Amino acid sequence: MRVIFMNALKERIRRKELYIVAVIGILLMLLCSSDSASITMNGEPVTGFKNMFMVMHVLMNAIGCILAVILSVKTIPNEYERKNSHLVWVRGISQPVYHGGLTAANMLATIISVGILYLVLVIYVIAKGHTECLFAMLPAFFVIAVNVSMVSLFVSVLSIRLPGMAVGALGTLFAGVGIFHGLLEIFKSMLGGIGGRCMSVLLWLVPDLNGIQKQAYHLVIGKQVEVHVIFVGLLAAWIFSLGLFVFRRKEA
């Protein structure tokens, strides 16, 4: 499994999409951190450290989830299209181990890319003189890693059986609903009826990625952290991982 994991990780890191999205994300975050940024809330400029850090934190989380979908959607299908799988089966490696190694590579590649984005936040914190936040940023990063790992795991598991277009659509829907979970909760209460009930089911099925991101932000700024929100995300990730043992490829 180690060889499978390392080869897949090297391939993920070499993908140009990772660097394109990461560079765009860094530029957006640098724009937010610049003194010339004109972000406003209710007509008033939002330039305070906590407000700007929150905006950058939300943006980093969203970009990380998008990267998780992009990097994970074709990893497993590509291995089968290249006919590499038979080299694994002849060595007696099971499908769960094979798919698990590829999925782990997807997750780690995404976490590394988010780590690059997180360095922008570290630089921003130091530049603004809030070095007291640096110690809390390490555990906060691992909380964000729960989010992107969950998305990567979800997409990787689906890609075992579903076609690429369907996986991409479902992965994007999953990430979008999770990122905008709070806003959709408000929208759900406005809908009512069948639409509201359908929205309730969707929000119940998709973990609150925004809520998990908030706990990471609260860690950094010293607010109370709702640990159960993070545990729900970890539980969802564990449930998704069971798909590695359930789903099989006929080509094997």
Side-chain angles (χ1 to χ4, degrees):
M1 180 174 175
R2 181 176 175 274
V3 175
I4 296 171
F5 168 77
M6 291 303 299
N7 288 338
L9 178 61
K10 290 176 183 177
E11 183 176 341
R12 299 281 74 69
I13 292 176
R14 287 196 296 264
R15 285 187 59 175
K16 61 182 179 181
E17 293 95 332
L18 187 156
Y19 298 102
I20 292 173
V21 176
V23 168
I24 292 174
I26 290 171
L27 291 176
L28 288 173
M29 292 173 69
L30 289 175
L31 176 63
C32 291
S33 65
S34 67
D35 293 332
S36 61
S38 58
I39 300 175
T40 61
M41 184 178 294
N42 296 325
E44 298 293 330
V46 181
T47 56
F49 169 75
K50 288 185 177 180
N51 288 329
M52 293 305 300
F53 185 85
M54 179 184 67
V55 171
M56 295 172 67
H57 209 270
V58 171
L59 183 61
M60 178 207 60
N61 178 64
I63 294 171
C65 291
I66 292 170
L67 270 171
V69 175
I70 293 173
L71 293 178
S72 306
V73 69
K74 289 292 290 180
T75 298
I76 294 176
N78 281 348
E79 290 295 311
Y80 284 90
E81 289 174 6
R82 295 171 187 156
K83 307 299 181 182
N84 291 337
S85 56
H86 75 279
L87 299 175
V88 175
W89 313 137
V90 296
R91 288 171 172 80
I93 298 174
S94 66
Q95 280 203 44
V97 171
Y98 182 43
H99 296 156
L102 297 174
T103 299
N106 288 339
M107 294 167 62
L108 184 56
T110 306
I111 291 172
I112 290 173
S113 65
V114 173
I116 296 172
L117 295 175
Y118 214 74
L119 287 176
V120 179
L121 286 177
V122 172
I123 295 171
Y124 177 72
V125 167
I126 295 174
K128 293 298 181 180
H130 290 271
T131 53
E132 72 279 1
C133 297
L134 291 177
F135 182 76
M137 290 189 76
L138 182 59
F141 171 73
F142 286 114
V143 174
I144 288 296
V146 172
N147 263 1
V148 296
S149 297
M150 198 190 320
V151 176
S152 180
L153 182 59
F154 176 78
V155 174
S156 298
V157 169
L158 288 184
S159 70
I160 297 174
R161 292 299 302 271
L162 298 180
M165 187 171 294
V167 174
L170 289 172
T172 303
L173 176 65
F174 178 87
V177 172
I179 292 169
F180 296 104
H181 209 279
L183 292 175
L184 291 174
E185 284 281 0
I186 299 173
F187 182 64
K188 177 197 70 176
S189 62
M190 296 169 58
L191 277 178
I194 297 177
R197 287 194 290 271
C198 291
M199 184 67 72
S200 296
V201 172
L202 182 62
L203 292 174
W204 182 80
L205 290 174
V206 178
D208 187 358
L209 303 181
N210 180 63
I212 295 174
Q213 178 272 139
K214 280 184 179 179
Q215 306 320 307
Y217 169 69
H218 289 171
L219 261 174
V220 176
I221 65 173
K223 283 189 176 181
Q224 184 176 356
V225 176
E226 298 177 11
V227 181
H228 75 277
V229 177
I230 303 172
F231 282 146
V232 169
L234 291 172
L235 176 61
W238 176 76
I239 293 173
F240 296 153
S241 69
L242 296 179
L244 295 171
F245 300 92
V246 174
F247 295 150
R248 293 286 194 273
R249 292 280 296 209
K250 292 181 180 180
E251 291 86 346

